Amino acid sequence: EVQLLESGGGLVQPGGSLRLSCVASGFSFSNYALSWVRQAPGRGLEVVASIIHSGGSTYYADSVKGRFTISRDNSKNTLYVQMNSLRAEDTAVYYCAKNGANHYYYGMDVWGQGTTVTVSS
Amino acid sequence: DIQMTQSPSSLSASIGDRVTITCQASQDIANYLNWYQQKPGKPPRLLIYDAANLETGVPSRFSGSGSATDFTFTISSLQPEDIATYFCQQYDNLPLTFGGGTKVDIK
């Protein structure tokens, strides 16, 4: 069974940092692109960052560019996102999602349960 | 960015009813469209990929059609477990974008 398990969410003050992790199992991790997708309370879905299978290319939404860094460790089947200079508008549930192929141009076919990030003083 | 416009934003239907949701893209996306189901407190679940292909394990009462800019998602006979919000997503171009969602509940 394909599984994605996120961790690292929590309450952080504006301007603070958090690192989210996502441990994957049940598929050949190094063959697939992965993404972080967030959903703010009562709002829609936004892809904030993606990374290809090898880690050699990344994508960032304009809203997080320069503040978030996505990375992966294929030896540990783990995806990360380092989130710096957090703002109130970053408050959301963050999902780790598996893209359908090795590049992030493909839609997501499996999602983790999500981890909640709250940015507030 | 490609805008995905879903309608309606919400609907109420009776058990057994046929339910139809539409998604319109702001430009031609061929058939690069997914449909997802999301229940409260849960992550999205892929139902349909490439506009019309049923994901493994998804009941056959769900279907999708369309191409270019106009797409339709149908539940042929609404069941109680289908109460959820449904989203479309295009993956023709970056950034991958989602429709605003359609909340389906029981009349």
Side-chain angles (χ1 to χ4, degrees):
Chain A
E1 181 189 6
V2 176
Q3 287 193 323
L4 300 168
L5 184 61
E6 304 95 333
S7 61
L11 174 63
V12 61
Q13 292 188 340
S17 298
L18 276 178
R19 188 175 85 152
L20 307 183
S21 300
C22 171
V23 177
S25 60
F27 65 101
S28 183
F29 184 82
S30 61
N31 286 350
Y32 291 91
L34 297 161
S35 298
W36 289 99
V37 183
R38 70 183 178 186
Q39 187 170 33
R43 295 183 62 180
L45 295 155
E46 179 189 18
V47 179
V48 296
S50 299
I51 188 166
I52 67 168
H53 65 106
S54 64
S57 179
T58 56
Y59 158 83
Y60 296 97
D62 287 345
S63 57
V64 306
K65 202 171 292 183
R67 300 188 298 123
F68 288 15
T69 302
I70 189 171
S71 61
R72 63 190 294 162
D73 185 337
N74 286 348
S75 69
K76 296 181 179 179
N77 284 8
T78 303
L79 175 72
Y80 306 98
V81 63
Q82 176 68 41
M83 305 187 297
N84 297 333
S85 303
L86 282 162
R87 307 166 180 168
E89 55 264 35
D90 296 317
T91 294
V93 175
Y94 284 74
Y95 295 103
C96 167
K98 171 183 167 287
N99 292 79
N102 60 0
H103 201 285
Y104 44 71
Y105 276 96
Y106 292 86
M108 295 79 179
D109 59 2
V110 179
W111 300 60
Q113 291 298 308
T115 187
T116 301
V117 172
T118 304
V119 184
S120 175
S121 55
Chain B
D1 297 4
I2 297 176
Q3 307 302 316
M4 304 300 293
T5 303
Q6 253 184 270
S7 62
S9 56
S10 65
L11 66 89
S12 293
S14 299
I15 299 302
D17 279 357
R18 183 180 186 87
V19 169
T20 299
I21 298 168
T22 65
C23 185
Q24 185 169 57
S26 60
Q27 65 187 65
D28 189 337
I29 60 168
N31 66 332
Y32 298 123
L33 186 98
N34 284 341
W35 288 98
Y36 298 94
Q37 176 193 65
Q38 186 178 30
K39 296 182 178 180
K42 297 294 186 181
R45 173 196 179 195
L46 178 65
L47 300 180
I48 303 285
Y49 64 95
D50 292 346
N53 294 309
L54 200 64
E55 179 73 344
T56 302
V58 174
S60 59
R61 64 181 179 274
F62 297 102
S63 64
S65 65
S67 65
T69 61
D70 294 299
F71 301 87
T72 300
F73 173 80
T74 300
I75 307 172
S76 61
S77 177
L78 186 68
Q79 300 301 303
E81 59 267 32
D82 300 337
I83 301 314
T85 299
Y86 294 85
F87 294 94
C88 60
Q89 178 204 34
Q90 68 79 21
Y91 47 99
D92 179 63
N93 216 337
L94 294 180
L96 305 191
T97 49
F98 296 84
T102 298
K103 187 173 182 180
V104 175
D105 63 21
I106 301 295
K107 189 185 295 182

